[in-house]
Amino acid sequence: MKYSERLSAFLDFVRTSQTEYKSAFDEVNAKDKQTQDFLHELELGGLTYKERCKVVTQITRCRKERRYYKDVSETLEPLVSFFEEPQNKKVLNDLTQILGKMRKQEQYHQNRNYKPRINK
């Protein structure tokens, strides 16, 4: 694996971590709202026993999904918050520029030719 590919993989990881964090955080909020909807349905819906059981099953499923998204967001939060700091955003931009320079050098190394200085 080329060095530029390693750096590119790291930068892709950082960028996807940022989008996954935001997505997971939004899902946690959506699941909270969905839980409230279920609870209000239990409270005000005038449901039969069988209907209440179905709603409780939906609440259980919703809370498990919420836990998954919360775990993802808590795991990615340190990395995302690190790269959101102004001085670290600059580091991320600098790494992107370094990647471009590395790719340029690797391209140069692949197309290297020797031109004789003395003609025979």
Side-chain angles (χ1 to χ4, degrees):
M1 179 181 260
K2 294 180 182 180
Y3 294 112
S4 64
E5 291 173 350
R6 291 179 187 175
L7 181 57
S8 178
F10 172 73
L11 292 172
D12 288 343
F13 169 71
V14 171
R15 289 185 187 110
T16 57
S17 295
Q18 291 170 336
T19 56
E20 285 179 22
Y21 170 77
K22 289 178 177 122
S23 175
F25 192 79
D26 291 342
E27 278 297 319
V28 168
N29 290 332
K31 295 298 176 184
D32 283 338
K33 291 176 184 176
Q34 189 178 21
T35 300
Q36 286 301 313
D37 289 344
F38 290 138
L39 292 174
H40 283 103
E41 187 177 353
L42 283 176
E43 178 185 5
L44 305 172
L47 305 174
T48 65
Y49 174 78
K50 196 171 187 178
E51 292 168 333
R52 285 193 311 265
C53 288
K54 288 180 182 180
V55 172
V56 171
T57 302
Q58 290 174 325
I59 290 173
T60 304
R61 192 174 305 127
C62 179
R63 298 303 291 176
K64 285 181 182 180
E65 290 172 5
R66 181 189 179 280
R67 171 60 47 205
Y68 168 77
Y69 290 119
K70 187 172 180 186
D71 290 348
V72 169
S73 67
E74 286 177 345
T75 302
L76 294 175
E77 194 273 331
L79 179 68
V80 171
S81 64
F82 175 79
F83 281 109
E84 285 180 349
E85 294 176 10
Q87 70 270 18
N88 297 331
K89 275 187 179 181
K90 183 178 179 334
V91 170
L92 193 58
N93 292 335
D94 290 345
L95 286 173
T96 304
Q97 290 178 0
I98 289 169
L99 176 61
K101 291 176 184 178
M102 288 175 74
R103 286 180 175 159
K104 187 176 180 179
Q105 279 301 109
E106 288 173 350
Q107 185 69 26
Y108 169 75
H109 292 163
Q110 286 179 348
N111 297 329
R112 187 180 301 177
N113 293 327
Y114 177 73
K115 296 177 186 174
R117 296 181 184 193
I118 300 175
N119 293 333
K120 291 184 180 181

